[in-house]
PDB file of all heavy atoms in Angstrom:
ATOM      1  N   CYS A 123     105.603  47.364  50.106  1.00 96.00           N
ATOM      2  CA  CYS A 123     104.491  48.247  50.465  1.00 96.00           C
ATOM      3  C   CYS A 123     104.528  48.588  51.951  1.00 96.00           C
ATOM      4  O   CYS A 123     104.398  49.760  52.331  1.00 96.00           O
ATOM      5  CB  CYS A 123     103.154  47.596  50.126  1.00 96.00           C
ATOM      6  SG  CYS A 123     102.779  47.515  48.385  1.00 96.00           S
ATOM      7  N   GLY A 124     104.706  47.600  52.790  1.00 95.00           N
ATOM      8  CA  GLY A 124     104.723  47.829  54.229  1.00 95.00           C
ATOM      9  C   GLY A 124     105.878  48.701  54.670  1.00 95.00           C
ATOM     10  O   GLY A 124     105.702  49.630  55.478  1.00 95.00           O
ATOM     11  N   SER A 125     107.063  48.434  54.156  1.00 93.00           N
ATOM     12  CA  SER A 125     108.216  49.260  54.542  1.00 93.00           C
ATOM     13  C   SER A 125     108.080  50.674  53.997  1.00 93.00           C
ATOM     14  O   SER A 125     108.483  51.643  54.653  1.00 93.00           O
ATOM     15  CB  SER A 125     109.520  48.618  54.077  1.00 93.00           C
ATOM     16  OG  SER A 125     109.543  48.490  52.666  1.00 93.00           O
ATOM     17  N   GLY A 126     107.496  50.807  52.805  1.00 92.00           N
ATOM     18  CA  GLY A 126     107.264  52.141  52.255  1.00 92.00           C
ATOM     19  C   GLY A 126     106.268  52.937  53.070  1.00 92.00           C
ATOM     20  O   GLY A 126     106.455  54.134  53.319  1.00 92.00           O
ATOM     21  N   LEU A 127     105.205  52.278  53.524  1.00 92.00           N
ATOM     22  CA  LEU A 127     104.226  52.963  54.369  1.00 92.00           C
ATOM     23  C   LEU A 127     104.830  53.322  55.725  1.00 92.00           C
ATOM     24  O   LEU A 127     104.534  54.386  56.285  1.00 92.00           O
ATOM     25  CB  LEU A 127     102.978  52.106  54.544  1.00 92.00           C
ATOM     26  CG  LEU A 127     102.112  51.956  53.294  1.00 92.00           C
ATOM     27  CD1 LEU A 127     100.993  50.958  53.544  1.00 92.00           C
ATOM     28  CD2 LEU A 127     101.565  53.298  52.851  1.00 92.00           C
ATOM     29  N   GLY A 128     105.693  52.452  56.256  1.00 90.00           N
ATOM     30  CA  GLY A 128     106.389  52.766  57.500  1.00 90.00           C
ATOM     31  C   GLY A 128     107.304  53.968  57.342  1.00 90.00           C
ATOM     32  O   GLY A 128     107.360  54.850  58.209  1.00 90.00           O
ATOM     33  N   PHE A 129     108.028  54.020  56.224  1.00 88.00           N
ATOM     34  CA  PHE A 129     108.894  55.167  55.945  1.00 88.00           C
ATOM     35  C   PHE A 129     108.063  56.441  55.817  1.00 88.00           C
ATOM     36  O   PHE A 129     108.430  57.489  56.355  1.00 88.00           O
ATOM     37  CB  PHE A 129     109.689  54.922  54.662  1.00 88.00           C
ATOM     38  CG  PHE A 129     110.523  56.100  54.230  1.00 88.00           C
ATOM     39  CD1 PHE A 129     111.765  56.321  54.804  1.00 88.00           C
ATOM     40  CD2 PHE A 129     110.071  56.971  53.254  1.00 88.00           C
ATOM     41  CE1 PHE A 129     112.537  57.406  54.408  1.00 88.00           C
ATOM     42  CE2 PHE A 129     110.839  58.047  52.858  1.00 88.00           C
ATOM     43  CZ  PHE A 129     112.080  58.267  53.434  1.00 88.00           C
ATOM     44  N   LEU A 130     106.932  56.340  55.128  1.00 86.00           N
ATOM     45  CA  LEU A 130     106.072  57.513  54.941  1.00 86.00           C
ATOM     46  C   LEU A 130     105.508  57.987  56.279  1.00 86.00           C
ATOM     47  O   LEU A 130     105.444  59.193  56.543  1.00 86.00           O
ATOM     48  CB  LEU A 130     104.943  57.177  53.970  1.00 86.00           C
ATOM     49  CG  LEU A 130     104.051  58.327  53.549  1.00 86.00           C
ATOM     50  CD1 LEU A 130     104.857  59.372  52.806  1.00 86.00           C
ATOM     51  CD2 LEU A 130     102.923  57.821  52.670  1.00 86.00           C
ATOM     52  N   TRP A 131     105.102  57.060  57.137  1.00 85.00           N
ATOM     53  CA  TRP A 131     104.552  57.427  58.442  1.00 85.00           C
ATOM     54  C   TRP A 131     105.616  58.106  59.303  1.00 85.00           C
ATOM     55  O   TRP A 131     105.372  59.130  59.925  1.00 85.00           O
ATOM     56  CB  TRP A 131     104.012  56.186  59.153  1.00 85.00           C
ATOM     57  CG  TRP A 131     103.446  56.499  60.500  1.00 85.00           C
ATOM     58  CD1 TRP A 131     104.065  56.363  61.709  1.00 85.00           C
ATOM     59  CD2 TRP A 131     102.154  57.020  60.775  1.00 85.00           C
ATOM     60  NE1 TRP A 131     103.239  56.763  62.720  1.00 85.00           N
ATOM     61  CE2 TRP A 131     102.050  57.171  62.161  1.00 85.00           C
ATOM     62  CE3 TRP A 131     101.072  57.375  59.976  1.00 85.00           C
ATOM     63  CZ2 TRP A 131     100.908  57.660  62.775  1.00 85.00           C
ATOM     64  CZ3 TRP A 131      99.942  57.852  60.587  1.00 85.00           C
ATOM     65  CH2 TRP A 131      99.867  57.997  61.971  1.00 85.00           C
ATOM     66  N   TYR A 132     106.812  57.529  59.307  1.00 82.00           N
ATOM     67  CA  TYR A 132     107.892  58.098  60.102  1.00 82.00           C
ATOM     68  C   TYR A 132     108.343  59.436  59.536  1.00 82.00           C
ATOM     69  O   TYR A 132     108.759  60.325  60.270  1.00 82.00           O
ATOM     70  CB  TYR A 132     109.075  57.133  60.164  1.00 82.00           C
ATOM     71  CG  TYR A 132     110.222  57.664  60.990  1.00 82.00           C
ATOM     72  CD1 TYR A 132     110.171  57.626  62.383  1.00 82.00           C
ATOM     73  CD2 TYR A 132     111.331  58.224  60.388  1.00 82.00           C
ATOM     74  CE1 TYR A 132     111.201  58.118  63.147  1.00 82.00           C
ATOM     75  CE2 TYR A 132     112.372  58.725  61.149  1.00 82.00           C
ATOM     76  CZ  TYR A 132     112.285  58.673  62.512  1.00 82.00           C
ATOM     77  OH  TYR A 132     113.317  59.166  63.273  1.00 82.00           O
ATOM     78  N   ASN A 133     108.262  59.593  58.235  1.00 79.00           N
ATOM     79  CA  ASN A 133     108.779  60.776  57.561  1.00 79.00           C
ATOM     80  C   ASN A 133     107.694  61.815  57.291  1.00 79.00           C
ATOM     81  O   ASN A 133     107.868  62.672  56.443  1.00 79.00           O
ATOM     82  CB  ASN A 133     109.458  60.366  56.255  1.00 79.00           C
ATOM     83  CG  ASN A 133     110.609  61.269  55.922  1.00 79.00           C
ATOM     84  OD1 ASN A 133     111.266  61.780  56.803  1.00 79.00           O
ATOM     85  ND2 ASN A 133     110.844  61.460  54.649  1.00 79.00           N
ATOM     86  N   ALA A 134     106.580  61.732  58.018  1.00 75.00           N
ATOM     87  CA  ALA A 134     105.521  62.737  57.846  1.00 75.00           C
ATOM     88  C   ALA A 134     106.046  64.100  58.304  1.00 75.00           C
ATOM     89  O   ALA A 134     107.052  64.192  59.001  1.00 75.00           O
ATOM     90  CB  ALA A 134     104.291  62.337  58.657  1.00 75.00           C
ATOM     91  N   HIS A 135     105.340  65.127  57.921  1.00 74.00           N
ATOM     92  CA  HIS A 135     105.772  66.499  58.191  1.00 74.00           C
ATOM     93  C   HIS A 135     106.009  66.716  59.677  1.00 74.00           C
ATOM     94  O   HIS A 135     105.154  66.360  60.481  1.00 74.00           O
ATOM     95  CB  HIS A 135     104.717  67.481  57.678  1.00 74.00           C
ATOM     96  CG  HIS A 135     105.113  68.913  57.847  1.00 74.00           C
ATOM     97  ND1 HIS A 135     106.070  69.496  57.064  1.00 74.00           N
ATOM     98  CD2 HIS A 135     104.696  69.859  58.730  1.00 74.00           C
ATOM     99  CE1 HIS A 135     106.206  70.748  57.441  1.00 74.00           C
ATOM    100  NE2 HIS A 135     105.388  70.994  58.448  1.00 74.00           N
ATOM    101  N   PRO A 136     107.107  67.244  60.084  1.00 75.00           N
ATOM    102  CA  PRO A 136     108.265  67.662  59.304  1.00 75.00           C
ATOM    103  C   PRO A 136     109.170  66.464  58.983  1.00 75.00           C
ATOM    104  O   PRO A 136     109.397  65.604  59.834  1.00 75.00           O
ATOM    105  CB  PRO A 136     108.984  68.650  60.228  1.00 75.00           C
ATOM    106  CG  PRO A 136     108.640  68.196  61.606  1.00 75.00           C
ATOM    107  CD  PRO A 136     107.252  67.610  61.504  1.00 75.00           C
TER     108      PRO A 136
END
Side-chain angles (χ1 to χ4, degrees):
C123 288
S125 61
L127 290 174
F129 175 82
L130 187 63
W131 180 262
Y132 181 78
N133 212 32
H135 183 73

